[in-house]
């Protein structure tokens, strides 16, 4: 499932982040690429563990921790510290699949990458090209979102970034391990959660609807109990 999550960050947060990103030291993005994807990866990154990346990463993770849509869709267990990349002057990233396992820098922990996230820090009007193209069962989905919005997609997907031919595309990208590994199961949980919320919101005065909501909430938690890996 591909999901666009609007307004993860406010305009003020995006503006503040852009000031920091514009002054940061950018290095060749091949530093975090695997052997194969390094051949097709052409962009700039802020080094892992750089103070700017840490500060902005915390801003992002704090915002996501309070975002109901993200929490419901991702059911996150562990989130990789956000990284930052910049494409300009024709830079692109060819078709690849993200590594399945990532070592969390500076810790003994590894995470399994179930979901990949890209959070946009430049608006679509600021650059040409730079679309994130994700291959899913419905074909290629082309993604280019307003600043502050984020796309979440299964890390199992092949994907690429088209060349940026004007301006600069600045994003954060990271991975997460979900409590539910399987994308199909996780999508079912998300659908069920949305339906329960709708019952509570749209039919608050109908006892039969509210009874159903309670019963379905039971189903939700019992499925989570069966499927969650912690
Ligand atoms: Ni990737």
């Amino acid at each position: 499932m591909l999901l666009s999550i609007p307004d993860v960050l406010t305009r003020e947060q995006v503006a503040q982040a852009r000031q920091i990103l514009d002054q940061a030291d950018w290095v060749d993005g091949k530093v975090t690429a695997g052997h194969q994807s390094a051949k097709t990866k052409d962009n700039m990154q802020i080094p892992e563990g750089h103070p700017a990346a840490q500060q902005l990463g915390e801003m992002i993770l704090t915002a996501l921790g309070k975002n109901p849509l993200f929490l419901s869709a991702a059911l996150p267990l562990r989130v990789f510290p956000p990284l930052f990349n910049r494409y300009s002057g024709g830079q692109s990233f060819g078709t690849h699949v993200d590594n399945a396992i990532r070592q969390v820098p500076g810790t003994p922990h590894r995470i399994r990458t179930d979901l990949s996230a890209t959070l946009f820090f430049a608006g679509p009007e600021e650059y040409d090209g730079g679309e994130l193209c994700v291959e899913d069962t419905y074909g290629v989905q082309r993604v280019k979102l307003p600043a502050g919005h984020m796309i979440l997609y299964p890390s199992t997907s092949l994907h690429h970034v088209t060349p940026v031919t004007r301006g600069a595309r600045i994003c954060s990208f990271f991975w997460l391990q979900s409590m539910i590994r399987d994308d199909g199961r996780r999508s079912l949980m998300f659908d069920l959660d949305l339906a329960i919320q709708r019952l509570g919101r749209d039919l608050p005065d109908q006892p039969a609807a509210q009874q159903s909501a309670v019963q379905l909430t039971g189903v939700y938690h019992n499925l989570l109990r069966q499927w969650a890996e912690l």
Side-chain angles (χ1 to χ4, degrees):
M1 179 181 57
L2 260 78
L3 182 71
S4 162
I5 302 178
D7 302 316
V8 168
L9 298 178
T10 63
R11 265 166 196 267
E12 293 72 30
Q13 285 176 311
V14 170
Q16 188 197 343
R18 276 297 289 272
Q19 276 191 344
I20 295 169
L21 290 168
D22 289 345
Q23 290 165 8
D25 314 310
W26 295 85
V27 299
D28 190 328
K30 287 186 180 22
V31 287
T32 56
H35 174 69
Q36 196 182 40
S37 65
K39 292 179 199 159
T40 61
K41 185 174 185 182
D42 180 19
N43 65 8
M44 302 297 280
Q45 275 180 214
I46 296 180
E48 284 182 24
H50 188 286
Q54 282 179 345
Q55 184 189 349
L56 297 178
E58 272 173 37
M59 176 198 276
I60 294 168
L61 296 184
T62 302
L64 288 175
K66 294 185 285 196
N67 188 303
L69 184 59
F70 167 77
L71 295 172
S72 174
L75 293 171
L77 177 63
R78 285 190 264 274
V79 186
F80 194 88
L83 297 168
F84 296 84
N85 63 17
R86 184 177 194 277
Y87 294 78
S88 61
Q91 288 180 317
S92 65
F93 195 164
T95 302
H96 66 281
V97 70
D98 294 340
N99 286 356
I101 307 290
R102 287 263 166 195
Q103 182 84 35
V104 180
T107 76
H109 306 299
R110 286 171 294 180
I111 72 162
R112 185 186 65 229
T113 59
D114 295 323
L115 286 163
S116 300
T118 298
L119 172 56
F120 290 76
F121 280 96
E125 69 287 350
E126 293 183 65
Y127 58 97
D128 291 334
E131 290 174 310
L132 171 66
C133 300
V134 182
E135 296 182 22
D136 80 359
T137 46
Y138 296 107
V140 177
Q141 311 289 318
R142 306 175 80 87
V143 181
K144 188 167 172 173
L145 299 178
H149 293 213
M150 186 176 99
I151 182 83
L152 204 56
Y153 60 99
S155 302
T156 48
S157 323
L158 285 169
H159 56 279
H160 66 275
V161 177
T162 62
V164 172
T165 54
R166 177 188 65 89
R169 174 195 193 269
I170 300 165
C171 289
S172 173
F173 66 102
F174 52 96
W175 304 274
L176 64 93
Q177 180 170 339
S178 174
M179 288 188 279
I180 297 186
R181 173 201 301 240
D182 181 71
D183 190 56
R185 287 182 175 176
R186 202 184 319 109
S187 297
L188 279 177
M189 296 298 283
F190 182 48
D191 284 345
L192 184 55
D193 193 12
L194 292 180
I196 293 167
Q197 287 179 37
R198 208 170 295 129
L199 274 180
R201 196 177 55 232
D202 297 350
L203 302 168
D205 305 322
Q206 297 196 19
Q210 292 320 304
Q211 234 170 2
S212 299
V214 171
Q215 201 170 6
L216 290 172
T217 302
V219 172
Y220 180 91
H221 283 284
N222 290 330
L223 281 176
L224 192 56
R225 206 169 270 121
Q226 296 225 4
W227 289 344
E229 300 167 75
L230 302 179

